[in-house]
Amino acid sequence: MQAPTEIFEAIALQKCLKVTYNKMVVTLAPHILYTRHDEMFIDAVTVDRDGRPPRELKLGTFKLVGLSDLVVTDDPFEAMHGLYDQNDDKYKGVTLFAVAPESAAA
């Protein structure tokens, strides 16, 4: 499986990604693309779900095969290093692409 170019564009430019996930339109701030058990995933912060903001910001895991109608929006996001830790063990050796490390952002 190959990741859609929209995923790379959204992560590289730190722009939000509007997708359909579980029959809902969701806006995501994608932080990392990685593999697990030969499947691709992104970890992203949900910015809104069906036009409404979430109760709390948190990093969620989304299987790429479950995402459809991917569109990169003009809405920028700042990497949320308080929620996303690029050094997490689950990313070791399986990261395909990620936002700039926290030290590079300074």
Side-chain angles (χ1 to χ4, degrees):
M1 175 184 193
Q2 186 173 348
T5 56
E6 292 89 350
I7 300 284
F8 291 104
E9 182 181 346
I11 293 172
L13 300 177
Q14 288 186 214
K15 299 258 183 169
C16 289
L17 192 61
K18 191 170 288 282
V19 302
T20 301
Y21 183 73
N22 287 341
K23 300 179 184 173
M24 295 172 114
V25 175
V26 182
T27 304
L28 303 173
H31 282 60
I32 187 166
L33 170 68
Y34 62 99
T35 60
R36 183 170 61 203
H37 307 295
D38 296 324
E39 299 270 8
M40 285 193 210
F41 293 84
I42 61 169
D43 279 3
V45 175
T46 301
V47 176
D48 77 50
R49 184 176 284 121
D50 279 339
R52 293 185 304 275
R55 286 185 295 254
E56 66 176 291
L57 290 178
K58 60 184 178 179
L59 192 69
T61 299
F62 300 86
K63 197 172 190 178
L64 251 60
V65 297
L67 303 177
S68 61
D69 306 321
L70 286 78
V71 176
V72 179
T73 71
D74 288 332
D75 302 321
F77 69 88
E78 288 197 32
M80 298 176 202
H81 293 289
L83 299 174
Y84 162 68
D85 178 7
Q86 71 263 14
N87 298 314
D88 193 314
D89 285 344
K90 78 178 192 174
Y91 305 133
K92 285 190 173 48
V94 295
T95 297
L96 300 174
F97 198 61
V99 294
E102 187 172 17
S103 58

